[in-house]
Amino acid sequence: MFHTDFEIGYTMDIVIASDVEKMGQLAAEKGAAVIRDAISDNRRARIIVATGASQFTVLKHLVAQPDIDWSMVDGFHLDEYIGIDRSHPASFCRYLDERFVQQVPIGSFQFLDAEGSPAEVAARVGQLVMAQPVDVAFVGIGENGHLAFNDPPANFETNDPYLIVDLDEACRQQQVGEGWFASLADVPKQALSMSVNQIMKTRTIICSVPDERKAEAVRGSVEGAVTPNVPASILQNHAACTLMLDPASAKLLSEATKSGASDGSVS
């Protein structure tokens, strides 16, 4: 598997799958292996689960993975809008309940149900997620380079596990473009988000990013400087991060990166 070296001394595994479906399959298979190992070693696995269009195929394949004792898995919600309830088509609670939690007999899942007090939800779920190390996080990258709902410039300093964040216009416009909302005015202006530092504490990160509209963000995250202005660039500093791409999202990467990248096949 190809490793891109960075000055900070870590490496990022980059996989360019043949298409979005294969990307999701490879991400799910890698995540499932981490989950099985954690259960074998610790009798428990702890995971972080993201939402959005980038995770459609990931979750479809993850719930179908064999030989996972889901009763031994504890899940945590990555981010959620403030001000919408579960009946809304864009609700991430709804998304995760339908596509993941109802599909497997998971031991526990902590939703960021922000209909009540977002600060109280952040404190309660944050205390739980910090209690033990998390084994694997399934995440994506936004068109503006955001990681979870940490829009640029992201807070790289706070150690709070969850934050109430303001969503920038580019992030909100992406939600309209993906069809979650009818207009920009309908998109909430705030969200609950796992912080950058909390995501980075995860032992393994699997970042799945399909689609040409993410290509510029992918290039900035992989080949640019680590900066709060491209929040996902922080993944360069993680010791065990795999970036799962399709050809469209990888199109702006340098030829050196693309020519060495794995296609995910086992040699």
Side-chain angles (χ1 to χ4, degrees), residues 202-267:
T202 310
R203 287 168 169 161
T204 298
I205 295 177
I206 300 172
C207 183
S208 301
V209 194
D211 205 324
E212 184 175 354
R213 61 195 170 83
K214 303 285 187 74
E216 185 61 49
V218 167
R219 177 168 63 179
S221 299
V222 173
E223 297 179 343
V226 175
T227 169
N229 293 321
V230 184
S233 66
I234 194 71
L235 296 175
Q236 295 178 28
N237 287 3
H238 195 275
C241 176
T242 299
L243 184 62
M244 298 282 187
L245 307 173
D246 70 350
S249 63
K251 68 176 296 183
L252 297 182
L253 292 176
S254 69
E255 288 305 314
T257 299
K258 288 192 290 185
S259 65
S262 168
D263 63 3
S265 60
V266 178
S267 57

Side-chain angles (χ1 to χ4, degrees), residues 114-152:
E115 293 180 57
S117 167
E120 290 179 4
V121 173
R124 178 181 61 80
V125 181
Q127 188 172 36
L128 293 170
V129 79
M130 289 193 302
Q132 298 289 337
V134 177
D135 298 292
V136 59
F138 297 93
V139 302
I141 296 174
E143 292 177 32
N144 64 353
H146 73 206
L147 184 62
F149 265 146
N150 297 288
D151 286 335

Side-chain angles (χ1 to χ4, degrees), residues 155-169:
N155 188 336
F156 280 6
E157 304 302 322
T158 182
N159 286 312
D160 291 346
Y162 284 97
L163 307 173
I164 295 174
V165 296
D166 295 324
L167 302 180
D168 71 15
E169 185 169 326

Side-chain angles (χ1 to χ4, degrees), residues 30 63 102 174 221 247:
K30 182 173 181 64
V63 300
Q102 291 184 31
Q174 177 182 328
S221 299

